[in-house]
Structures are given as structure tokens and as C-alpha cells.
Amino acid sequence: MKDLLGFGDLELIELSRKGDDQAFGVIISRYEHQIARTVIGMLGDTDEAEDVGQETFIRFFRSLDKFRGDSTLGTYLTRIAINLSLNELTKRKKTLSLFYKRSKDKETMFDIPEPGDEFERSDKKEIVDKALQQLEPGFRSVVVLRLVEGYSTKETSEILNLPLGTVLSRLSRAQEKLKEILVPLMK
Amino acid sequence: MVEKEKYNLLLRSFDEDLDADQEAKLKEALSSSEELRTEQEEILAMRNMISSQKASFKPGFTDRVVNKIKEESHLQVIIPDFNQTFFSVFKKVALTGVAAIIILLFSIYYSSSRLGVDTIVGDPYSDDGLVSYLLYDDIDE
């Protein structure tokens, strides 16, 4: 296993195509955290996020022969992860709509703690996580790619297959909403 | 209250390359408005907070994925084996059936010197015979 750690992505992919499990294991270890940030950003720290994370690598494994290296492996995997997460959110929405009728009032899915001590005590990670969950999936995916993953706006638009203008406007609106939630807690 | 236009310019400055004119406008607005500077600091702090998010799956993620892939590959080996066996047996049965039909047709042709629906299904009445039968049903008596 140690010998493989120094291998480049393309070499590891080539070995995986030939059936080398260890090489594929190195790929997973290398991108596990990046995919975790993406799917947990999209779905929250849930069991579904783990399932989608696993499915991302399984889908990639199934389509190893299709990978041509036009984009980096990280971007390729992120694209799969985002699409699977969006599918999962659609499924979740359909399931929820069977049991939950949306109230006419502004929907709040979690209690935002009062600024000050409460925030100090709260898990910062959890708060950010929940704040992200307040965004509509289309806005959330833009924030996750741009702010969490650090992709440029152009890369974000390519991954999501959206016009750059749409990405910028979603980013701007999402930031305003996040600012509304998070800034009072930071004071 | 921060002017909407300047605030939008500030928001855009984090993700877009502003042109020289817009950049100058923003710079001027930032130097003259403390409120806008505070907004800038807050947005920056918020973005840092989001980008510093750490996330990870439960330990053993790699093993779980590799095991799933192995299980799936094992299933894929079993399924083609079943399919292969099924289709090879089906092929043999189908070929035998076709051969039997050809032999049957050939033997019919050989015995009656002609090959038609009547000779195959064994209908004893030819068109002429049928008319005679209907008109004179006591023809044999």
C-alpha cells in the first residue's frame, strides 16, 4: 500500500482498471475528505451523506473506463457527488412532502441560538452545517463548491452546468441569507 | 445604512473581478464608510468560518467502499454465469426444435409430394371436397 501512495491519480486509475483494489483504495483515501465536505455540506452530517459518499466512489469505479482525464479527478468525483446529493435532496423532498405540509410562515428548520454564550457553547461546525441546510439545494450547491471546496466561480459553473451569471447571483443571495443567520452568532 | 449599490459591489468583489471603475468606486466607498468596512469584515469572517469547515466520514470509510465494490463484483460474476448457462441451454433447445420442424416438413413433403397447410395440419377436405360435402352430406351413403 505504501508504495502506491506516491503514485499519481492517472497511474492509480490505470492500476484500478486492471483490478488492483489497493490502488483504488488509495484513490478513495486521497479524495475521501473532499467528498465528505461536499456531501456533508449538501446533506448535513447524516447517514445519507455517508451513503452518497460511498455511492460516489462506487459510480466512479463502475465508470473507470470512461474517465479521460479532461478534468482533474477531484473535480470529476465532486461532480458525481454533487449530482448524487441533489438527487438525494429531491428524493428527501418528495418523502417529506408526504408527511409534512409546509407552513405559510417562514420555515425554520432549527432553533438559532441567541448570540453570545449560546454560540460559544454550540458546536460551530453544527451551526454552519445547519445554516447551509437552510438554503435551497440550488443555492447550497453553489456555496458548497465555491466557499467550502474553494472552486472558482467559473469551475463552479462548469461543475453545475450553470451559466456564470446564475452562479454569481445565487452566490450573492446565498451569502446574504447565511450572513443573516451566522453574523449575529459571531458577534 | 449602507447604500445598496455599494453593498452589492462589495458582495461581488469577493467572487468577481471588478473592472477598474468599479474597483475605484468600491475603494472610495470603503475608505469613506465605516459601516461598509464592518460589512466587509463580517462577510470575510463568515466566509472563513464556512471555508474552514472540516468534515469526514466515520473511520473505515475506504474499507467499507472497497468491500461494497468487491461484493458487487462477486454478484456480477454470478449473474453472467447464470445468464450464460440459461442462454446456452435455451440455444440448444431452440436449435433442436428448429431441426425437428425441418425434418417434419421434409417427411411430409416426401410422403405427400406437396407441401401445403392441408398436408401439414391434416385437413382432409380440399376446397372442392368441402363444397361436395356441404351439398351432398349423404354422398357416402
Side-chain angles (χ1 to χ4, degrees):
Chain A
M1 186 91 161
K2 270 183 187 169
D3 294 335
L4 292 170
L5 292 175
F7 278 43
D9 289 346
L10 292 178
E11 289 168 298
L12 290 171
I13 289 170
E14 203 44 51
L15 287 171
S16 304
R17 279 178 184 146
K18 289 174 186 163
D20 188 331
D21 290 344
Q22 282 196 341
F24 196 71
V26 175
I27 292 176
I28 300 171
S29 309
R30 197 171 281 178
Y31 289 99
E32 177 188 339
H33 293 289
Q34 183 177 336
I35 297 307
R37 277 198 308 270
T38 303
V39 296
I40 291 173
M42 289 297 291
L43 303 167
D45 201 352
T46 56
D47 289 343
E48 290 160 343
E50 157 101 17
D51 291 344
V52 168
Q54 288 188 16
E55 189 60 23
T56 300
F57 288 102
I58 292 170
R59 293 267 176 120
F60 173 59
F61 182 79
R62 284 190 208 139
S63 59
L64 272 173
D65 291 333
K66 287 181 193 158
F67 182 75
R68 298 272 169 264
D70 298 334
S71 56
T72 65
L73 180 53
T75 304
Y76 191 82
L77 288 169
T78 302
R79 190 175 290 133
I80 299 175
I82 279 282
N83 287 334
L84 289 176
S85 302
L86 289 169
N87 291 348
E88 186 60 38
L89 287 169
T90 311
K91 245 192 273 174
R92 192 191 277 180
K93 197 177 172 186
K94 278 182 191 163
T95 313
L96 277 178
S97 66
L98 290 175
F99 301 102
Y100 171 74
K101 206 170 183 181
R102 191 179 260 231
S103 119
K104 279 180 186 172
D105 303 330
K106 200 178 167 184
E107 185 182 339
T108 307
M109 288 170 72
F110 72 105
D111 294 327
I112 300 167
E114 289 300 311
D117 293 346
E118 182 65 27
F119 183 60
E120 291 303 317
R121 286 198 299 274
S122 300
D123 184 357
K124 200 164 94 176
K125 181 185 173 301
E126 200 182 326
I127 298 287
V128 173
D129 211 30
K130 285 180 175 172
L132 286 174
Q133 304 307 306
Q134 294 286 291
L135 302 172
E136 286 292 321
F139 290 79
R140 201 183 309 163
S141 56
V142 171
V143 171
V144 167
L145 291 176
R146 174 73 182 127
L147 301 185
V148 179
E149 287 297 337
Y151 283 107
S152 69
T153 45
K154 188 171 175 285
E155 287 168 324
T156 303
S157 78
E158 282 165 3
I159 291 172
L160 294 172
N161 207 15
L162 287 172
L164 185 61
T166 308
V167 168
L168 290 171
S169 75
R170 284 188 186 180
L171 200 51
S172 178
R173 285 168 62 189
Q175 269 191 117
E176 278 198 74
K177 173 133 192 179
L178 287 171
K179 193 167 156 279
E180 232 173 75
I181 301 169
L182 294 173
V183 170
L185 302 171
M186 287 157 59
K187 281 179 180 168
Chain B
M1 185 72 182
V2 178
E3 254 181 71
K4 188 79 184 162
E5 190 197 342
K6 286 172 186 168
Y7 178 71
N8 283 340
L9 213 51
L10 173 68
L11 266 184
R12 285 175 52 201
S13 71
F14 290 101
D15 301 297
E16 284 176 71
D17 291 326
L18 303 179
D19 62 37
D21 184 41
Q22 290 169 327
E23 218 164 289
K25 220 183 237 181
L26 179 63
K27 204 173 170 184
E28 196 265 312
L30 281 169
S31 65
S32 63
S33 165
E34 198 188 329
E35 213 178 334
L36 195 65
R37 283 199 298 275
T38 310
E39 291 278 4
Q40 187 186 36
E41 279 165 22
E42 284 176 354
I43 295 170
L44 258 178
M46 181 196 73
R47 288 173 70 108
N48 287 337
M49 192 173 164
I50 294 170
S51 64
S52 64
Q53 278 288 85
K54 286 193 173 72
S56 56
F57 296 120
K58 289 172 199 145
F61 178 79
T62 302
D63 290 340
R64 287 196 295 281
V65 177
V66 170
N67 287 339
K68 261 197 176 177
I69 289 171
K70 278 182 183 169
E71 276 171 31
E72 209 174 73
S73 321
H74 179 65
L75 274 177
Q76 276 173 350
V77 169
I78 293 170
I79 292 168
D81 273 351
F82 170 76
N83 286 344
Q84 226 171 353
T85 315
F86 178 79
F87 283 114
S88 72
V89 169
F90 180 77
K91 210 167 142 185
K92 279 176 192 164
V93 171
L95 283 175
T96 311
V98 169
I101 290 168
I102 290 170
I103 290 167
L104 183 71
L105 291 175
F106 182 75
S107 66
I108 289 169
Y109 179 73
Y110 186 75
S111 62
S112 58
S113 301
R114 71 189 194 99
L115 200 59
V117 178
D118 297 348
T119 50
I120 294 169
V121 297
D123 187 348
Y125 305 112
S126 65
D127 288 348
D128 292 343
L130 181 63
V131 171
S132 308
Y133 176 77
L134 292 172
L135 289 173
Y136 313 104
D137 56 349
D138 56 347
I139 199 164
D140 291 332
E141 289 171 13

